[in-house]
Amino acid sequence: MRYLALMLLAPWLVVLGWAYWAYPKSLLRNMTRRAFDVLALVAATVAAIQSALLAFDAVELPAADQFGPKSGAIWQQVVPALYGYGAFLAVLLIALVVRQLVWKKRPQ
């Protein structure tokens, strides 16, 4: 159950990773940029997994009362998904800014 949130979020993270890899087409493409892109995608994936696991452990489930368990257990999957998504996007946004500054085509 620890990885359920990431399994459900994985297809969207793959789409975001592909969009990061493919666009913008106006930037210079060389081996250094591609190595940076791979490093950024790996870092974003690791950050998403780590933050989702930390969030899964941090969520406190509500105690059952006289009427049985409450519906708050869903948050043990929602919060890790949100944290994983946020960490993935944060790393990719930083990488986008760095990539734009370093590999922008300069006017000649």
Side-chain angles (χ1 to χ4, degrees):
M1 293 297 286
R2 290 176 60 86
Y3 298 101
L4 179 63
L6 285 174
M7 287 174 32
L8 296 173
L9 190 60
W12 177 240
L13 296 182
V14 168
V15 169
L16 289 176
W18 170 80
Y20 172 81
W21 182 266
Y23 296 103
K25 297 194 183 282
S26 63
L27 294 178
L28 293 174
R29 290 197 179 128
N30 55 21
M31 290 300 290
T32 309
R33 179 184 154 205
R34 286 304 180 191
F36 177 80
D37 289 346
V38 168
L39 181 66
L41 288 170
V42 168
T45 303
V46 169
I49 291 170
Q50 289 300 317
S51 63
L53 291 177
L54 288 172
F56 183 86
D57 293 335
V59 172
E60 293 183 24
L61 294 176
D65 59 7
Q66 64 185 6
F67 300 111
K70 296 182 181 175
S71 64
I74 189 68
W75 291 104
Q76 196 171 23
Q77 298 303 324
V78 172
V79 172
L82 292 174
Y83 277 47
Y85 180 65
F88 192 85
L89 279 183
V91 172
L92 283 189
L93 285 175
I94 292 169
L96 277 171
V97 170
V98 169
R99 188 171 72 168
Q100 184 68 29
L101 293 173
V102 173
W103 284 285
K104 182 173 55 173
K105 288 184 180 177
R106 312 261 193 281
Q108 299 194 4

